[in-house]
Amino acid sequence: MGNGADVGLMGLAVMGRNLALNLADHGYTVAVYNRTAERTREFAADPEASARILPTFSLPELAGRLSPPRRVLLMVRAGDAVDAAVAGLLAVLEPGDVIVDGGNSHYADTIRRVRAVEQRGLLYVGAGISGGEAGARRGPSIMPGGSPAAWPLLRPMLQAIAARVADGTPCCDWVGADGAGHFVKMVHNGIEYGDMQLIAEAYDVMRRGLGLPPDRMQEVFAAWDRGRLDSYLIGITADILGYREGGRPLVDDILDSAGQKGTGRWTTEAALELGTPATLAAEAVFARYLSAMVEDRRRAAGALAGPVPGLPDDPEEVLTDLEQALYGSKLVSYAQGFMLMRQAAEDHTWELDYGGIALLWREGCIIRAAFLDEVRRAFGRDPGLPSLLLDPPFSTALAGAQSGWRRTVARAAAAGLPVPAYAGALAFYDGYRSDRLPANLIQAQRDYFGAHLYERLDRPRGEHHHTDWTGRGGSTTSGEYRA
C-alpha cells in the first residue's frame, strides 16, 4: 500500500474525531483508526471529513499509510487501553517513529512508557490536551512532554492546530522530559476543579443566601466576566444560568451530584506525595464526593440542626464581597498549582518554564482567563518566584480583597452555607503569611508520645533533640521516616 498520510490518529471518540478534523483543516492528511471498524466507517462518511481523512482498519494498514519517521497520535482512554495501544503500535512501527498520547494519562504512567518505548528505539510523548470538544476542533491548549528528540518532528503540526493568543503565539510548547507534559495537564485539571468549586460556592451564596433568581445571577456572572474575573468558566456560568427549558431555568432541574474522572484526585494525591499543600484541589474533590452522597444528605437535612440559610445584609454589599472572595481564592488556587509544579520539577529534574505554562493556558483550555496574562508577567519579573502570592501586583490585590473575602466566609458560616473552598483558601493564605504556626506544639506532642525529636529555635536547623517529658521515657528515639 502506498503512503499518503502525514500523521496517524488512533481513537475516534469525540476528542479524536475533532482533532483529526482540526489537523485536516490545517493541511495535514490523517490516517485514522479505531478499534471498532464501524466507528471508522461512520467517521469517514461524515460530511466534515474531507479527502484528507484516510480510514484504516488495522494497525499494519495505519502504519503503512505513514512515511518514516511516522507520527501516531493516541486518543484513547487512560490506563490499560493506552498500554494496549502502545503494545500494538510497537509491533508495526520502527525505530525513530513517534507515539503521542494525547489523553489524560497519569504522569507516572507516561514516565514509565517513555522509558519502555525509548528502549525499543522509538520516541514517546505525553501531550496534555485541554479545551474539550470545541477546543479539539478549533484550537486546544497542548502541553507536550516526553522524548525531547520528538519535539522537532511534532512542533510544526501541534502548534498549527493549537489555540493562539492575541499576538499569534500558539498555546503549545515543549514542557519538559518524560511525564512533565501530563503532570502540567494534571495540575491544570486540579486548578479547574478548584475554579469550578469556587464558582459553585458563589452561586450557592447568591441562590440560598440572597435568594436571587437565575436572571439576576446571570447578570452578576456576566458583569464579573467583563472584569478581572474574565474567564471561560465564568462566561459559561452566565450562559448556563440564562438557559431555559420549558420556560424554566434548566440548572434548577439538574441533580446536585457532581461527577469526576479522577484528574482532580490525581492532583491531590500528587500534592500529598510531594508534600505540597494544594488545598483548593483537595477541597474541590471532597466537595464532589460529598455532593454524590445524595440520599445521606437528604436524610441529614431533616435530622441535623443548623441555621436556615439566608443573609440579612445588603445584597449589593454581599455581591461586592463575594467577588473579592472569589478573586482571592482563585489566586490562592493558581499559586498552589504552580507551587506543586515547582516541587515536581525539583523532584523529577524537570526544567519548567512557569511563565510559558501560563501562556499555554491563556487560550484554548478550560481554565483560560485574562488573569493568566498577569501570572505570565509575574514569572517574567522573577522566574524563581516561590509563590504567586509574593508577586507585588498580586499581593497588593490580595490586600485589597481580603476584607470582603473574610466577610464572605464569616457570613456563610453564620448562615450555615458551606464554602469549603473559600474558607480553605483563606486558611492557606493566613497560614502562608504566618511567621509562626502552632506546629511547635505538634512536634512536642510527637516527641512526648513517640520520641520523634524536634528542632529548637535557639539551635541550628537540622539539629534534632529529644526530651524525656515524664522522666520515665529514657533516651531512645525513633528518628524520622516516611511511611
Side-chain angles (χ1 to χ4, degrees):
M1 180 179 295
N3 299 328
D6 302 302
V7 59
L9 189 145
M10 184 176 177
L12 292 174
V14 172
M15 290 292 286
R17 291 167 66 102
N18 282 297
L19 282 169
L21 294 172
N22 189 350
L23 285 159
D25 287 347
H26 286 85
Y28 292 91
T29 299
V30 189
V32 298
Y33 168 80
N34 195 78
R35 185 173 56 86
T36 306
E38 184 55 35
R39 177 167 285 185
T40 305
R41 294 189 188 94
E42 181 267 332
F43 177 52
D46 189 309
E48 274 201 285
S50 68
R52 291 189 177 276
I53 302 294
L54 305 180
T56 67
F57 298 94
S58 70
L59 291 182
E61 183 185 4
L62 176 69
R65 286 283 192 176
L66 304 171
S67 299
R70 299 171 182 85
R71 300 170 293 182
V72 180
L73 175 59
L74 299 181
M75 296 303 301
V76 301
R77 186 185 299 272
D80 292 343
V82 177
D83 285 323
V86 170
L89 287 171
L90 287 175
V92 298
L93 297 181
E94 298 174 350
D97 292 345
V98 184
I99 301 172
V100 183
D101 175 10
N104 268 334
S105 289
H106 192 275
Y107 77 97
D109 287 336
T110 302
I111 292 174
R112 168 176 59 80
R113 291 169 185 142
V114 168
R115 292 171 180 166
V117 171
E118 287 183 343
Q119 287 175 356
R120 298 283 295 274
L122 288 82
L123 305 173
Y124 192 87
V125 169
I129 299 178
S130 177
E133 178 181 357
R137 183 68 183 88
R138 302 299 176 192
S141 168
I142 308 177
M143 296 150 260
S147 305
W151 183 229
L153 304 175
L154 299 173
R155 180 173 182 168
M157 179 179 70
L158 295 184
Q159 291 190 338
I161 66 171
R164 293 178 180 272
V165 294
D167 67 0
T169 303
C171 294
C172 171
D173 205 352
W174 188 250
V175 174
D178 52 58
H182 273 142
F183 190 93
V184 169
K185 174 57 164 54
M186 179 193 72
V187 173
H188 164 285
N189 286 19
I191 292 173
E192 176 187 313
Y193 271 58
D195 272 3
M196 295 172 74
Q197 178 64 26
L198 291 169
I199 292 169
E201 290 178 14
Y203 160 74
D204 199 31
V205 170
M206 293 183 207
R207 182 177 64 96
R208 291 201 292 160
L210 294 176
L212 299 185
D215 285 346
R216 176 62 181 128
M217 290 188 282
Q218 180 189 25
E219 291 174 359
V220 173
F221 279 103
W224 286 354
D225 196 37
R226 294 189 294 270
R228 63 181 177 176
L229 290 173
D230 170 17
S231 67
Y232 173 74
L233 286 170
I234 292 287
I236 68 168
T237 300
D239 291 346
I240 289 166
L241 291 167
Y243 192 87
R244 299 290 185 273
E245 189 174 86
R248 285 175 49 81
L250 177 58
V251 70
D252 289 347
D253 292 328
I254 296 175
L255 181 68
D256 56 323
S257 176
Q260 56 186 312
K261 291 188 175 180
T263 50
R265 174 174 56 81
W266 288 351
T267 306
T268 302
E269 290 171 349
L272 292 170
E273 291 167 358
L274 294 169
T276 304
T279 60
L280 263 291
E283 291 290 4
V285 170
F286 290 135
R288 293 195 189 191
Y289 289 158
L290 181 60
S291 79
M293 299 169 65
V294 176
E295 298 307 320
D296 284 6
R297 289 190 292 107
R298 300 290 186 266
R299 181 176 179 182
L304 299 180
V308 176
L311 300 174
D313 310 80
D314 174 66
E316 294 307 314
E317 180 182 322
V318 171
L319 292 174
T320 297
D321 287 349
L322 190 56
E323 188 272 347
Q324 293 177 349
L326 180 50
Y327 181 81
S329 300
K330 182 183 180 75
L331 177 51
V332 166
S333 180
Y334 279 73
Q336 290 180 346
F338 279 91
M339 291 168 71
L340 180 56
M341 288 189 286
R342 183 173 295 280
Q343 186 59 55
E346 181 177 326
D347 279 30
H348 294 283
T349 62
W350 295 332
E351 295 182 3
L352 301 185
D353 176 356
Y354 304 105
I357 289 168
L359 180 66
L360 298 184
W361 295 345
R362 182 59 185 88
E363 295 291 346
C365 69
I366 302 302
I367 65 169
R368 59 186 182 266
F371 175 92
L372 284 158
D373 284 334
E374 191 56 46
V375 173
R376 179 172 58 88
R377 286 191 285 269
F379 286 110
R381 287 187 287 269
D382 181 3
L385 187 68
S387 170
L388 285 172
L389 304 184
L390 300 178
D391 180 65
F394 281 134
S395 60
T396 300
L398 283 169
Q402 66 171 300
S403 294
W405 188 3
R406 294 181 191 283
R407 285 191 294 268
T408 296
V409 172
R411 282 191 189 105
L417 290 166
V419 288
Y422 292 152
L426 185 58
F428 175 87
Y429 175 75
D430 285 336
Y432 191 69
R433 68 182 188 84
S434 295
D435 65 352
R436 188 161 173 83
L437 290 169
N440 54 319
L441 178 59
I442 294 172
Q443 279 303 100
Q445 292 169 333
R446 295 178 73 240
D447 191 58
Y448 186 107
F449 66 68
H452 290 295
L453 308 177
Y454 55 84
E455 295 177 88
R456 296 180 61 104
L457 290 172
D458 56 357
R459 301 297 299 169
R461 287 298 307 268
E463 185 178 295
H464 292 85
H465 304 268
H466 169 61
T467 293
D468 182 1
W469 298 89
T470 64
R472 302 186 302 274
S475 59
T476 301
T477 62
S478 71
E480 289 290 327
Y481 64 92
R482 286 191 180 186

